[in-house]
Amino acid sequence: MPADPRPRRWPVTVLGAGLIVALVLPLGLLARRVPAPTPAAPGPAAVLEAAAAAAESAPGTPPPPGLMRYVAARRVTLEAVPDGDHRRLVRTGMITEEWIPADRRRPWTQWIRDDGPPQAWDERTGAYTAGDPVPASRWSARCGAYFPVPGADPCRRPGLWQDPTPAFVAGLPGDPGALLARLRSDAAGDDLEALTYAAQALSRDLLPSRVRATVYRALALLPGLGVTAARCTLGRRTGTALGLGRGGERLEIVVDERGAYLGSIRRLTAARDGLAAGTVTDTTEITTGLARRGRTP
């Protein structure tokens, strides 16, 4: 995908925290009553197979006249940024909205804007201070080629995981094992990067239902992927979080029982740059629907 042309000053952020609730039962009660065994929670293969089956059973239909497919990604990130001899925490939010016509050869529209001003943590006041927002950017282009290559047909660009064009999708293997091999090859053998590529493709909401199902089944074969939360809420929707860790961080994707991809969460699994283990450093919430150009569902 072409690089975002907007100037970058601070990355985008969210602080996360965990909550542990302990339930203590009297020993006498335990001695008198044996509780029924708790059913085992579904593992990653079962969760992803259910999502794949749901995706296959509900193929998408073209938008009715006057409406377009609407895809919004709300991203928030947190990062410790060097500031002289110190580091400061910078939190930023961004919303990317896209309107995709039923006939993809017609113009698409993308709008990127800040979700509130960026904020930096001020140790002196113990609070976040607002920074300067970046002006909103809006593009419109046939086939979603917002930054076309001069002289090339924008509707025939090869695409990639971050830009799953029809040509790119047509070249993906239909077998889950082969698709996982393709993901790992494109990621140079880095399984966390392979999961990142899959998440980026799913977040665009451009994959046909059968391909989305195959991606889910491919990820079920990814070594080390596990269920990190049976119930995880992003925005107003709840699904199951599945994650893979490496090098002190973990990437989690969230899918629901209807086969919808809800977004991703990146968190630290070890302290880094003054941030504690468990801190959420990046979240992306995906919202989809049907809407008129420039409007929300």
Side-chain angles (χ1 to χ4, degrees), residues 145-184:
Y146 303 113
F147 311 102
V149 176
D153 184 344
C155 298
R156 293 182 178 274
R157 66 189 189 280
L160 62 167
W161 291 104
Q162 298 86 348
D163 180 24
T165 62
F168 179 80
V169 171
L172 293 176
D175 174 75
L179 182 58
L180 177 60
R182 167 68 183 274
L183 271 167
R184 299 175 88 178

Side-chain angles (χ1 to χ4, degrees), residues 13-17 76-78 89 91 121 128 275 278-282:
T13 45
V14 168
L15 280 172
V76 184
T77 65
L78 176 69
L89 295 180
R91 181 176 62 193
W121 179 259
Y128 280 100
L275 300 176
T279 298
V280 174
T281 58
D282 193 317

